[in-house]
Amino acid sequence: MISIVIPTQNSERQLVPTLAALVQGVTGGILRDVILADGGSSDDTAAIADAAGCVFLPGINDPGVRLRQGAAQGRGRWLLFLSPASILEEGWAREVSSFLEMVERCGMGDRATATFRLSVDGYGFGPRLGEAVAAARLAVLGRPRPGQGLLISKRHYERIGGHPAGLAAERRLIARIGRRHIHVLRARVLLPVPGSVPADPEQAGP
């Protein structure tokens, strides 16, 4: 049903828990394949991709082109874009399956999009503030935080032109979709505290 596209660049440390969380999609029967669109890693990202059975696309420098080419490789009718540090929490596969069944039943499958609720790793005030800011940003601006996840039908993605070229590819794709058209799923995605891991250029916000 879905293909997951993850842009990587020296992401070996982040990838293992991210890929482990995707096993729910396999056992739930909704995950078709995982594509790692790589920007020229010099660590063991490629080896991790091979061990996990992911498709590895090496050496694509432009972030937007990288994501678009990764999407083109996906065999699923739906695309889910994540970051290398996006850990989907328990129950995500059931939630995504229910959402896809609902939009297909309502005849909205070719234009519906969704993102996950954000959970920031860690204890104390800082992570909770980050979650509140991200929720407000999504409610007011209609823009999920990079890495929060974007679920979109492949047909709709291609119709709006996919990710444009350049470093602001994710932000510009969200602008093409429009703030009123992104459904927030009940399932959560766990992200690290900002600055706790090296940022990839394509994951940088404006």
Side-chain angles (χ1 to χ4, degrees):
M1 273 179 122
I2 68 171
S3 293
I4 295 178
V5 181
I6 303 174
T8 56
Q9 188 165 5
N10 293 329
S11 305
E12 60 170 321
R13 184 165 63 90
Q14 305 166 57
L15 269 177
V16 173
T18 295
L19 295 178
L22 301 184
V23 172
Q24 295 178 52
V26 177
T27 57
I30 67 166
L31 181 55
R32 187 76 182 270
D33 48 14
V34 179
I35 299 98
L36 304 188
D38 194 68
S41 293
S42 57
D43 63 359
D44 287 333
T45 296
I48 291 173
D50 182 63
C54 302
V55 176
F56 184 77
L57 300 180
I60 306 168
N61 293 322
D62 184 284
V65 174
R66 186 193 320 177
L67 287 163
R68 198 164 62 244
Q69 292 187 359
Q73 291 288 321
R75 295 178 295 166
R77 291 183 58 241
W78 287 80
L79 301 169
L80 174 57
F81 295 96
L82 297 173
S83 81
S86 302
I87 302 176
L88 295 174
E89 296 191 332
E90 182 68 34
W92 74 266
R94 291 191 303 272
E95 176 73 4
V96 167
S97 180
S98 296
F99 172 75
L100 297 185
E101 289 175 4
M102 183 270 293
V103 296
E104 295 286 358
R105 188 169 59 249
C106 297
M108 300 170 55
D110 286 344
R111 59 184 183 276
T113 57
T115 189
F116 296 94
R117 296 185 188 277
L118 178 65
S119 180
V120 178
D121 198 11
Y123 297 99
F125 177 74
R128 304 296 76 78
L129 177 61
E131 291 171 358
V133 169
R137 169 189 171 115
L138 185 57
V140 175
L141 301 178
R143 289 169 53 189
R145 175 177 156 182
Q148 197 167 338
L150 179 66
L151 179 67
I152 183 171
S153 77
K154 192 170 187 179
R155 183 178 297 180
H156 187 30
Y157 178 80
E158 292 171 346
R159 183 168 55 239
I160 62 177
H163 285 87
L167 294 177
E170 288 184 295
R171 177 171 58 84
R172 291 167 63 192
L173 178 64
I174 294 296
R176 290 178 178 179
I177 294 170
R179 64 178 299 271
R180 298 180 182 178
H181 301 287
I182 301 178
H183 178 82
V184 182
L185 302 169
R186 288 174 296 180
R188 292 182 175 271
V189 60
L190 180 67
L191 289 175
V193 176
S196 62
V197 296
D200 291 336
E202 66 273 12
Q203 297 299 325

